[in-house]
């Protein structure tokens, strides 16, 4: 009999998994989603300027190529509507349990099944649990003293307050990663004054974005080969040119030169340029891809503040030296809790073993998918499967097809659990590959946990991951 499946999350990962199941004729699954709709990160992040920096034809499912992307890099509304359309087209709506957060999942060794508890207090039993929660779903507010005393309005970039008009206000944006770089140019057009608080400078390369012209749109619409060719072209460029830059390969100096030229051409003031020049190797932190960020910082009504923040006071933000800059709105573009994957869900494996405990030195999983002592638990976009250079959707698809192979195996052989030796050889290979990456350098980034262990990123080309996840190796698992 086909196993019953609980999928957690209805973003790109969870929906792709649902599609995989439906295509295999399996209907015994439920997709639990804590929000009121599908879309995951593309539902959460509605800040002005929210867009992807991987081109549309690659940042989409290989089997569901949109014929009418409006522009080269998709903006949030277009991605959200793509995912909504996928949910409809593949009949996923009837499997969705919206506004329902999974709070716990416990493996029962006696029955070989998972008990899943949701926020409404309900408990249901499934053969398999698949996490599609990803790595960027819990906003991180910084621990700055005084925040509770702030008299104005404050919110996180992933919880944008659309009811709060920024026109004519004095605003602070804290952070200068990928989200901030998109927010700042849009907000600067509205505000009376904008302070941008930068703790560490980002490496930035230009984004060759643009709306597709009428001819290009028609060509993509009616010539499927052109869509496939565009996808392939972008994939090869990212694997062949951007990836080597992250592992000290041939293109490292080329990408560095591009970033330096971009800064030099967009920021004429040498003092501002010096503040914006990173002091760590390119690629160590996520490279920001944006062409509007630097020009916004050169506006007379925008100040780049690099003195450390000491505290938030009722009327503004105080920096080292005691200066207070008054603001009525603070926007935290301060990223996400990225290292404690799956938290706060209480996952308990075989013999009452908590996942929290298994991961106390940092999250890890065989192929980023399976964890010893957690039979029939599979992860999408799990530990060490994030990319610094290519489309995460490609990784998710690799994982979905791999998990489908696992479901076929466990349907005939019983609950499957990855063996320790397989996990250990995976860990050794991963560590050796991670040691060659730019992420190892001494910079602080969301890819590393507090102990400095890289828990988020995949260190080899995306195509290499596809090769090793093509089919599960039964000898890596024990069954029953
Ligand atoms: P992020 O890259 O983690 O950036 C957070 C920013 O907040 C950093 O500049 C960080 O400074 C700063 N920060 C954190 N705590 C602070 C504090 N206490 N004081 C001052 N500054 C503080 O988060 P994000 O920009 O939301 O992006 C997260 C990831 O989402 C990206 O790396 C990317 O993978 C994805 N994303 C992609 C896009 C896109 O496709 N264009 C857009 C948005 C997000 P430090 O650097 O010093 O830590």
């Amino acid at each position: 009999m086909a196993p019953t499946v609980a999928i957690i999350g209805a973003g790109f990962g969870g929906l792709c998994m649902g599609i995989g199941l439906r295509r295999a004729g399996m209907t015994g699954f439920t997709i639990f989603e804590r929000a009121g709709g599908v879309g995951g990160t593309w539902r959460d992040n509605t800040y002005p300027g929210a867009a992807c920096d991987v081109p549309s034809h690659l940042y989409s499912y290989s089997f569901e190529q949109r014929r009418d992307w409006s522009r080269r890099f998709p903006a949030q509304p277009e991605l959200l509507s793509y995912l909504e359309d996928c949910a409809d087209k593949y009949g996923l709506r009837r499997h969705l349990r919206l506004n329902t957060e999974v709070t716990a999942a416990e493996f029962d060794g006696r029955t070989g099944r998972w008990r899943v508890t949701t926020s409404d207090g309900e408990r249901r039993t499934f053969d398999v649990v698949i996490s599609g929660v990803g790595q960027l779903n819990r906003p991180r507010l910084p621990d700055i003293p005084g925040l509770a005393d702030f008299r104005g309005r404050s919110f996180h970039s992933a919880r944008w307050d659309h009811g709060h008009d920024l026109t004519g206000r004095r605003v602070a944006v804290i952070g200068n990663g990928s989200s901030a770089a998109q927010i700042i140019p849009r907000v600067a057009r509205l505000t009376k004054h904008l302070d941008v608080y930068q703790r560490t400078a980002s490496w930035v390369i230009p984004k060759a974005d643009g709306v597709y012209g009428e001819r290009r749109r028609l060509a993509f619409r009616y010539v499927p080969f052109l869509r496939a060719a565009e996808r392939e072209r972008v994939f090869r460029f990212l694997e062949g040119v951007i990836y080597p830059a992250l592992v000290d390969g041939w293109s490292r100096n080329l990408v560095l030169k591009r970033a330096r030229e971009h800064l030099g051409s967009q920021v004429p003031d040498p003092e501002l340029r010096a503040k914006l020049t990173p002091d760590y190797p390119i690629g160590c932190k996520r490279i920001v891809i944006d062409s509007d960020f630097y020009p916004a910082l050169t506006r007379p009504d925008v100040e780049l503040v690099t003195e450390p923040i000491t505290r938030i006071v009722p009327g503004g933000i105080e920096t080292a030296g005691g200066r207070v800059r008054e603001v009525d709105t603070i926007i935290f573009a301060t990223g996400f809790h990225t290292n404690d994957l799956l938290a706060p869900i209480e996952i308990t494996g075989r013999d009452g073993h908590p996942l929290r405990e298994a991961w106390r030195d940092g999250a890890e999983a065989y192929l980023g998918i399976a964890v010893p002592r957690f039979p029939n638990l599979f992860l999408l976009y799990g530990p060490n499967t994030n990319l610094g250079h290519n489309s995460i959707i490609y990784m998710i698809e690799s994982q979905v097809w791999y998990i489908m192979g696992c479901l076929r195996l466990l349907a005939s052989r019983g609950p499957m659990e990855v063996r320790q030796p397989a996990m250990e050889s995976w860990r050794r290979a991963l560590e050796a590959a991670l040691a060659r990456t730019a992420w190892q350098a001494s910079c602080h980034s969301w890819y590393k946990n507090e102990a400095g262990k890289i828990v988020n990123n995949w260190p080899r080309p995306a195509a290499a991951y596809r090769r090793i996840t093509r089919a599960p190796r039964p000898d890596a698992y024990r069954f029953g």
Side-chain angles (χ1 to χ4, degrees), residues 31 54 57 71 79 124 130 132 174 197 199 253 256 265 271 285 298 333 335 368 422 439 458 465:
I31 306 177
V54 175
H57 287 92
R71 57 189 310 128
L79 281 169
R124 285 175 60 186
I130 300 173
I174 301 184
Y197 288 82
R199 190 166 62 178
N253 286 336
L256 181 61
S265 68
E271 207 178 309
K285 295 162 96 76
T298 65
W439 314 316
W458 168 242
Y465 186 79

Side-chain angles (χ1 to χ4, degrees), residues 53 142 176 178-179 182 199-200 285-286 333-335 444 446:
D53 56 16
N176 60 320
S178 303
S179 300
Q182 294 181 334
R199 190 166 62 178
T200 319
K285 295 162 96 76
R286 170 69 146 75
T334 44
H444 170 261
W446 67 259

Side-chain angles (χ1 to χ4, degrees), residues 1 7 14 29 33 91 192-193 214 224 272 301 310 339 348 452 474:
M1 236 184 48
I7 299 171
F29 68 95
E33 169 55 56
K192 181 160 183 251
H193 182 86
E214 193 55 24
L272 182 59
D301 51 359
T310 46
N339 305 139
T348 311

